[in-house]
Amino acid sequence: MIIQVVLDWQNNMPLVAETGELFQKFGGGPLGRALNVFAFFTIQSNLIVGATSLLLAVNPNRASTVFSVFRLTGLVAITVTGIVTYVALDGLLVFDTWALTADKLLHVVVPIMAVVGWLAFGPRGLTSPRVVKLAVLFPLAYMLFTAIRGPLSSDWYPYPFADVHELGYLRVFINGLVIGLLFVALAAAAAWLDKRLPAKQGAAPTRVEPAL
């Protein structure tokens, strides 16, 4: 992620493979371009995964409702990142050198490690129907944030499928609904798996509490 921020600060942007034109308008100055990086679903997903993983490293027995929601949100969001990248964005941009490195880390390495880490180490027992419902608020809030922010930032949108200026609100709403349904399905699947995967041997039983 740091690599990506530096690249955008320097205006070292990827090009669209078909047209050779800049894919996104990243703001007028270095700071604006760097800050726009954090408007990407990918970046936000990586941040949530990184933060929850760090908290678990400090205290593996975390089991609050707030933490459980963010843990599930990060897991599902980073999975959606990998899937959407492969299905909708693969081949759209041409990367090289450091841009290619940043792309693979954010869209391939972290999603795989996050999913494998959760499957192997858990912790188990942090999901519930309430946690699933709360986790689904993240993609809804993201699409709303993107739709509102776009016109306020010179019609800049982080993804083609979220570009209201080009597609219109109805098409973007449908695209968001599809992604939201995918998020719901993955969150429900993760909750189902969580109840059936064995807990790590020797780990203390987890329980959901009201505070972080």
Side-chain angles (χ1 to χ4, degrees), residues 81-90:
T81 292
I83 293 174
V84 171
T85 298
Y86 179 77
V87 173
L89 302 177
D90 187 48

Side-chain angles (χ1 to χ4, degrees), residues 123-147:
R124 305 273 79 88
L126 296 185
T127 60
S128 68
R130 180 167 180 257
V131 169
V132 170
K133 292 176 184 177
L134 290 173
V136 173
L137 293 176
F138 175 68
L140 299 178
Y142 177 80
M143 291 302 293
L144 181 62
F145 160 77
T146 302

Side-chain angles (χ1 to χ4, degrees), residues 111-165:
I112 291 175
M113 290 182 64
V115 173
V116 171
W118 180 80
L119 289 173
F121 304 109
R124 305 273 79 88
L126 296 185
T127 60
S128 68
R130 180 167 180 257
V131 169
V132 170
K133 292 176 184 177
L134 290 173
V136 173
L137 293 176
F138 175 68
L140 299 178
Y142 177 80
M143 291 302 293
L144 181 62
F145 160 77
T146 302
I148 293 174
R149 184 181 185 275
L152 301 177
S153 58
S154 303
D155 288 318
W156 180 85
Y157 297 90
Y159 300 103
F161 52 78
D163 192 336
V164 174
H165 183 69

Side-chain angles (χ1 to χ4, degrees), residues 34-49:
L35 290 177
N36 272 340
V37 172
F38 297 95
F40 283 91
F41 187 88
T42 295
I43 298 299
Q44 295 182 21
S45 301
N46 275 265
L47 285 172
I48 296 174
V49 168

Side-chain angles (χ1 to χ4, degrees), residues 72-120:
L72 182 61
T73 296
L75 172 69
V76 177
I78 204 68
T79 303
V80 170
T81 292
I83 293 174
V84 171
T85 298
Y86 179 77
V87 173
L89 302 177
D90 187 48
L92 182 62
L93 302 178
V94 175
F95 296 100
D96 60 10
T97 61
W98 285 111
L100 180 61
T101 301
D103 175 65
K104 295 305 180 184
L105 287 173
L106 292 169
H107 295 97
V108 179
V109 175
V110 173
I112 291 175
M113 290 182 64
V115 173
V116 171
W118 180 80
L119 289 173

